[in-house]
mmCIF file of all heavy atoms in Angstrom:
data_model
loop_
_atom_site.group_PDB
_atom_site.id
_atom_site.type_symbol
_atom_site.label_atom_id
_atom_site.label_comp_id
_atom_site.label_asym_id
_atom_site.label_seq_id
_atom_site.Cartn_x
_atom_site.Cartn_y
_atom_site.Cartn_z
ATOM 1 N N ALA B 249 95.883 81.393 138.697
ATOM 2 C CA ALA B 249 96.048 79.954 138.657
ATOM 3 C C ALA B 249 97.297 79.627 139.490
ATOM 4 O O ALA B 249 98.390 79.635 139.101
ATOM 5 C CB ALA B 249 96.342 79.523 137.219
ATOM 6 N N PRO B 250 96.971 79.340 140.767
ATOM 7 C CA PRO B 250 98.025 79.009 141.723
ATOM 8 C C PRO B 250 98.881 77.792 141.301
ATOM 9 O O PRO B 250 100.100 77.737 141.500
ATOM 10 C CB PRO B 250 97.350 78.752 143.036
ATOM 11 C CG PRO B 250 96.046 79.404 142.963
ATOM 12 C CD PRO B 250 95.680 79.360 141.464
ATOM 13 N N GLU B 251 98.219 76.860 140.688
ATOM 14 C CA GLU B 251 98.873 75.690 140.174
ATOM 15 C C GLU B 251 98.702 75.723 138.533
ATOM 16 O O GLU B 251 99.585 76.041 137.896
ATOM 17 C CB GLU B 251 98.322 74.487 140.662
ATOM 18 C CG GLU B 251 98.740 74.372 142.212
ATOM 19 C CD GLU B 251 98.247 73.165 142.941
ATOM 20 O OE1 GLU B 251 97.782 72.201 142.192
ATOM 21 O OE2 GLU B 251 98.247 73.121 144.161
ATOM 22 N N GLN B 252 97.537 75.181 138.118
ATOM 23 C CA GLN B 252 97.285 75.148 136.655
ATOM 24 C C GLN B 252 95.897 75.619 136.426
ATOM 25 O O GLN B 252 94.957 75.368 137.200
ATOM 26 C CB GLN B 252 97.487 73.793 136.109
ATOM 27 C CG GLN B 252 99.028 73.441 136.076
ATOM 28 C CD GLN B 252 99.246 72.126 135.434
ATOM 29 O OE1 GLN B 252 98.337 71.436 134.931
ATOM 30 N NE2 GLN B 252 100.524 71.778 135.218
ATOM 31 N N GLY B 253 95.596 76.237 135.289
ATOM 32 C CA GLY B 253 94.238 76.603 134.836
ATOM 33 C C GLY B 253 94.199 76.909 133.390
ATOM 34 O O GLY B 253 95.332 77.191 132.788
ATOM 35 N N GLN B 254 93.117 76.873 132.838
ATOM 36 C CA GLN B 254 92.898 77.234 131.376
ATOM 37 C C GLN B 254 91.535 77.757 131.087
ATOM 38 O O GLN B 254 90.570 77.470 131.799
ATOM 39 C CB GLN B 254 93.250 76.071 130.399
ATOM 40 C CG GLN B 254 92.415 74.872 130.645
ATOM 41 C CD GLN B 254 92.923 73.758 129.766
ATOM 42 O OE1 GLN B 254 94.090 73.633 129.353
ATOM 43 N NE2 GLN B 254 92.051 72.764 129.339
ATOM 44 N N PHE B 255 91.423 78.609 130.084
ATOM 45 C CA PHE B 255 90.096 79.093 129.720
ATOM 46 C C PHE B 255 90.139 79.491 128.174
ATOM 47 O O PHE B 255 91.258 79.646 127.658
ATOM 48 C CB PHE B 255 89.667 80.297 130.508
ATOM 49 C CG PHE B 255 90.522 81.559 130.358
ATOM 50 C CD1 PHE B 255 90.079 82.494 129.581
ATOM 51 C CD2 PHE B 255 91.656 81.718 131.170
ATOM 52 C CE1 PHE B 255 90.758 83.679 129.393
ATOM 53 C CE2 PHE B 255 92.390 82.906 130.934
ATOM 54 C CZ PHE B 255 91.998 83.884 130.141
ATOM 55 N N THR B 256 89.011 79.656 127.558
ATOM 56 C CA THR B 256 88.906 80.025 126.207
ATOM 57 C C THR B 256 87.880 81.312 126.123
ATOM 58 O O THR B 256 86.896 81.285 126.838
ATOM 59 C CB THR B 256 88.228 78.920 125.413
ATOM 60 O OG1 THR B 256 89.164 77.761 125.497
ATOM 61 C CG2 THR B 256 88.080 79.286 123.896
ATOM 62 N N THR B 257 88.236 82.254 125.346
ATOM 63 C CA THR B 257 87.457 83.367 125.192
ATOM 64 C C THR B 257 86.174 83.002 124.227
ATOM 65 O O THR B 257 86.240 82.004 123.619
ATOM 66 C CB THR B 257 88.090 84.605 124.472
ATOM 67 O OG1 THR B 257 88.466 84.159 123.165
ATOM 68 C CG2 THR B 257 89.420 84.955 125.261
ATOM 69 N N VAL B 258 85.298 83.935 124.213
ATOM 70 C CA VAL B 258 84.177 83.738 123.145
ATOM 71 C C VAL B 258 84.833 84.178 121.886
ATOM 72 O O VAL B 258 85.883 84.797 121.766
ATOM 73 C CB VAL B 258 82.931 84.623 123.550
ATOM 74 C CG1 VAL B 258 82.366 84.215 124.809
ATOM 75 C CG2 VAL B 258 83.373 86.125 123.557
ATOM 76 N N GLY B 259 84.105 83.870 120.727
ATOM 77 C CA GLY B 259 84.536 84.227 119.434
ATOM 78 C C GLY B 259 84.463 85.770 119.186
ATOM 79 O O GLY B 259 83.496 86.373 119.748
ATOM 80 N N PHE B 260 85.393 86.383 118.555
ATOM 81 C CA PHE B 260 85.413 87.805 118.322
ATOM 82 C C PHE B 260 86.364 88.101 117.157
ATOM 83 O O PHE B 260 87.181 87.297 116.662
ATOM 84 C CB PHE B 260 85.919 88.626 119.615
ATOM 85 C CG PHE B 260 87.319 88.313 119.962
ATOM 86 C CD1 PHE B 260 88.361 89.182 119.462
ATOM 87 C CD2 PHE B 260 87.670 87.175 120.711
ATOM 88 C CE1 PHE B 260 89.712 88.966 119.830
ATOM 89 C CE2 PHE B 260 88.952 86.934 121.006
ATOM 90 C CZ PHE B 260 89.972 87.823 120.633
ATOM 91 N N TYR B 261 86.115 89.369 116.669
ATOM 92 C CA TYR B 261 87.087 89.813 115.502
ATOM 93 C C TYR B 261 88.224 90.608 116.253
ATOM 94 O O TYR B 261 87.961 91.573 116.918
ATOM 95 C CB TYR B 261 86.266 90.746 114.690
ATOM 96 C CG TYR B 261 85.244 89.977 113.740
ATOM 97 C CD1 TYR B 261 83.955 89.984 114.161
ATOM 98 C CD2 TYR B 261 85.608 89.368 112.632
ATOM 99 C CE1 TYR B 261 83.047 89.258 113.318
ATOM 100 C CE2 TYR B 261 84.689 88.718 111.757
ATOM 101 C CZ TYR B 261 83.427 88.617 112.202
ATOM 102 O OH TYR B 261 82.520 88.000 111.404
ATOM 103 N N PRO B 262 89.456 90.147 116.048
ATOM 104 C CA PRO B 262 90.437 90.885 116.806
ATOM 105 C C PRO B 262 90.680 92.286 116.263
ATOM 106 O O PRO B 262 90.709 92.542 114.965
ATOM 107 C CB PRO B 262 91.767 90.022 116.456
ATOM 108 C CG PRO B 262 91.390 89.222 115.245
ATOM 109 C CD PRO B 262 89.923 89.104 115.269
ATOM 110 N N PRO B 263 90.911 93.320 117.080
ATOM 111 C CA PRO B 263 91.042 94.643 116.600
ATOM 112 C C PRO B 263 92.319 94.926 116.054
ATOM 113 O O PRO B 263 92.618 95.944 115.419
ATOM 114 C CB PRO B 263 90.790 95.480 117.899
ATOM 115 C CG PRO B 263 91.134 94.573 118.992
ATOM 116 C CD PRO B 263 90.774 93.153 118.579
ATOM 117 N N SER B 264 93.361 94.090 116.318
ATOM 118 C CA SER B 264 94.719 94.189 115.673
ATOM 119 C C SER B 264 95.345 92.804 115.670
ATOM 120 O O SER B 264 94.812 91.855 116.025
ATOM 121 C CB SER B 264 95.594 95.246 116.385
ATOM 122 O OG SER B 264 95.862 94.866 117.690
ATOM 123 N N ARG B 265 96.524 92.750 115.138
ATOM 124 C CA ARG B 265 97.244 91.529 114.899
ATOM 125 C C ARG B 265 98.140 90.922 115.947
ATOM 126 O O ARG B 265 98.648 89.889 115.772
ATOM 127 C CB ARG B 265 97.997 91.564 113.567
ATOM 128 C CG ARG B 265 97.127 92.246 112.480
ATOM 129 C CD ARG B 265 96.653 91.346 111.318
ATOM 130 N NE ARG B 265 97.147 90.077 111.229
ATOM 131 C CZ ARG B 265 97.882 89.682 110.242
ATOM 132 N NH1 ARG B 265 98.078 90.384 109.204
ATOM 133 N NH2 ARG B 265 98.288 88.431 110.155
ATOM 134 N N ARG B 266 98.451 91.791 116.974
ATOM 135 C CA ARG B 266 99.449 91.263 118.018
ATOM 136 C C ARG B 266 98.778 91.367 119.379
ATOM 137 O O ARG B 266 97.906 92.244 119.676
ATOM 138 C CB ARG B 266 100.708 92.141 117.974
ATOM 139 C CG ARG B 266 101.572 91.867 116.725
ATOM 140 C CD ARG B 266 102.664 92.770 116.662
ATOM 141 N NE ARG B 266 103.568 92.392 115.531
ATOM 142 C CZ ARG B 266 103.269 92.768 114.231
ATOM 143 N NH1 ARG B 266 102.238 93.547 113.975
ATOM 144 N NH2 ARG B 266 104.045 92.432 113.237
ATOM 145 N N LEU B 267 99.357 90.540 120.283
ATOM 146 C CA LEU B 267 98.870 90.477 121.688
ATOM 147 C C LEU B 267 99.873 90.839 122.722
ATOM 148 O O LEU B 267 101.030 90.520 122.497
ATOM 149 C CB LEU B 267 98.331 89.129 122.040
ATOM 150 C CG LEU B 267 97.133 88.483 121.551
ATOM 151 C CD1 LEU B 267 96.947 87.085 121.893
ATOM 152 C CD2 LEU B 267 95.914 89.341 121.996
ATOM 153 N N ARG B 268 99.466 91.484 123.762
ATOM 154 C CA ARG B 268 100.375 91.660 124.874
ATOM 155 C C ARG B 268 99.523 91.403 126.172
ATOM 156 O O ARG B 268 98.249 91.634 126.207
ATOM 157 C CB ARG B 268 101.025 93.073 125.007
ATOM 158 C CG ARG B 268 100.053 94.195 125.293
ATOM 159 C CD ARG B 268 100.708 95.562 125.393
ATOM 160 N NE ARG B 268 99.766 96.582 125.664
ATOM 161 C CZ ARG B 268 99.970 97.814 125.573
ATOM 162 N NH1 ARG B 268 101.251 98.233 125.349
ATOM 163 N NH2 ARG B 268 99.093 98.743 125.691
ATOM 164 N N LEU B 269 100.187 90.903 127.141
ATOM 165 C CA LEU B 269 99.497 90.499 128.400
ATOM 166 C C LEU B 269 99.996 91.357 129.602
ATOM 167 O O LEU B 269 101.183 91.651 129.600
ATOM 168 C CB LEU B 269 99.772 89.055 128.718
ATOM 169 C CG LEU B 269 99.446 88.022 127.689
ATOM 170 C CD1 LEU B 269 99.755 86.648 128.197
ATOM 171 C CD2 LEU B 269 98.017 88.132 127.146
ATOM 172 N N ASN B 270 99.046 91.697 130.505
ATOM 173 C CA ASN B 270 99.402 92.288 131.770
ATOM 174 C C ASN B 270 99.275 91.102 132.681
ATOM 175 O O ASN B 270 98.339 90.604 133.029
ATOM 176 C CB ASN B 270 98.575 93.333 132.162
ATOM 177 C CG ASN B 270 98.875 93.964 133.454
ATOM 178 O OD1 ASN B 270 99.646 93.554 134.178
ATOM 179 N ND2 ASN B 270 98.112 95.048 133.799
ATOM 180 N N ALA B 271 100.495 90.547 133.222
ATOM 181 C CA ALA B 271 100.489 89.275 133.829
ATOM 182 C C ALA B 271 101.770 89.230 134.843
ATOM 183 O O ALA B 271 102.669 89.982 134.752
ATOM 184 C CB ALA B 271 100.542 88.115 132.877
ATOM 185 N N ARG B 272 101.569 88.172 135.689
ATOM 186 C CA ARG B 272 102.707 87.909 136.553
ATOM 187 C C ARG B 272 102.795 86.404 136.718
ATOM 188 O O ARG B 272 101.769 85.764 137.011
ATOM 189 C CB ARG B 272 102.543 88.474 137.950
ATOM 190 C CG ARG B 272 103.635 88.189 138.993
ATOM 191 C CD ARG B 272 103.411 88.973 140.287
ATOM 192 N NE ARG B 272 102.342 88.358 141.043
ATOM 193 C CZ ARG B 272 102.431 87.506 142.009
ATOM 194 N NH1 ARG B 272 103.670 87.032 142.295
ATOM 195 N NH2 ARG B 272 101.412 87.105 142.664
ATOM 196 N N THR B 273 103.991 85.846 136.479
ATOM 197 C CA THR B 273 104.226 84.402 136.671
ATOM 198 C C THR B 273 105.112 84.204 137.843
ATOM 199 O O THR B 273 105.983 85.048 138.140
ATOM 200 C CB THR B 273 104.892 83.814 135.401
ATOM 201 O OG1 THR B 273 106.131 84.410 135.250
ATOM 202 C CG2 THR B 273 103.962 83.918 134.225
ATOM 203 N N ARG B 274 104.724 83.157 138.680
ATOM 204 C CA ARG B 274 105.605 82.867 139.813
ATOM 205 C C ARG B 274 106.672 81.967 139.419
ATOM 206 O O ARG B 274 106.867 81.588 138.258
ATOM 207 C CB ARG B 274 104.624 82.205 140.874
ATOM 208 C CG ARG B 274 103.507 83.073 141.360
ATOM 209 C CD ARG B 274 102.582 82.232 142.335
ATOM 210 N NE ARG B 274 101.422 82.981 142.707
ATOM 211 C CZ ARG B 274 100.333 82.827 141.911
ATOM 212 N NH1 ARG B 274 100.204 82.057 140.811
ATOM 213 N NH2 ARG B 274 99.210 83.580 142.192
ATOM 214 N N GLU B 275 107.585 81.566 140.350
ATOM 215 C CA GLU B 275 108.705 80.719 140.031
ATOM 216 C C GLU B 275 108.211 79.405 139.483
ATOM 217 O O GLU B 275 107.342 78.772 139.933
ATOM 218 C CB GLU B 275 109.452 80.390 141.329
ATOM 219 C CG GLU B 275 110.741 79.679 141.135
ATOM 220 C CD GLU B 275 111.573 79.457 142.395
ATOM 221 O OE1 GLU B 275 111.435 80.290 143.332
ATOM 222 O OE2 GLU B 275 112.307 78.495 142.353
ATOM 223 N N GLY B 276 108.747 79.135 138.273
ATOM 224 C CA GLY B 276 108.325 77.953 137.532
ATOM 225 C C GLY B 276 107.063 78.084 136.734
ATOM 226 O O GLY B 276 106.643 77.135 136.096
ATOM 227 N N GLY B 277 106.478 79.261 136.802
ATOM 228 C CA GLY B 277 105.176 79.475 136.100
ATOM 229 C C GLY B 277 105.388 79.969 134.661
ATOM 230 O O GLY B 277 106.411 80.430 134.283
ATOM 231 N N SER B 278 104.242 79.859 133.946
ATOM 232 C CA SER B 278 104.265 80.346 132.580
ATOM 233 C C SER B 278 102.837 80.547 132.108
ATOM 234 O O SER B 278 101.869 80.007 132.583
ATOM 235 C CB SER B 278 105.034 79.458 131.573
ATOM 236 O OG SER B 278 104.383 78.212 131.454
ATOM 237 N N ILE B 279 102.665 81.182 131.000
ATOM 238 C CA ILE B 279 101.415 81.366 130.298
ATOM 239 C C ILE B 279 101.579 81.023 128.782
ATOM 240 O O ILE B 279 102.553 81.413 128.235
ATOM 241 C CB ILE B 279 100.872 82.820 130.357
ATOM 242 C CG1 ILE B 279 100.686 83.132 131.873
ATOM 243 C CG2 ILE B 279 99.509 82.943 129.603
ATOM 244 C CD1 ILE B 279 100.203 84.689 132.062
ATOM 245 N N LEU B 280 100.706 80.168 128.230
ATOM 246 C CA LEU B 280 100.709 79.800 126.844
ATOM 247 C C LEU B 280 99.428 80.258 126.251
ATOM 248 O O LEU B 280 98.358 80.262 126.860
ATOM 249 C CB LEU B 280 100.877 78.331 126.591
ATOM 250 C CG LEU B 280 102.068 77.684 127.203
ATOM 251 C CD1 LEU B 280 102.130 76.192 127.144
ATOM 252 C CD2 LEU B 280 103.410 78.179 126.486
#
């Protein structure tokens, strides 16, 4: 997402209770 973007996953049963992301944010960027 060079500027802004969003998406939703399909429904699923989570295999555990916590999330971690492999990601990179640029200056002023973030992920929610």
Side-chain angles (χ1 to χ4, degrees):
E251 293 179 12
Q252 292 188 353
Q254 59 185 25
F255 69 94
T256 302
T257 67
V258 297
F260 66 96
Y261 291 95
S264 66
R265 311 252 348 242
R266 290 175 175 81
L267 286 175
R268 71 176 173 189
L269 307 181
N270 181 352
R272 179 174 73 96
T273 60
R274 298 176 192 89
E275 185 176 334
S278 67
I279 300 173
L280 298 173

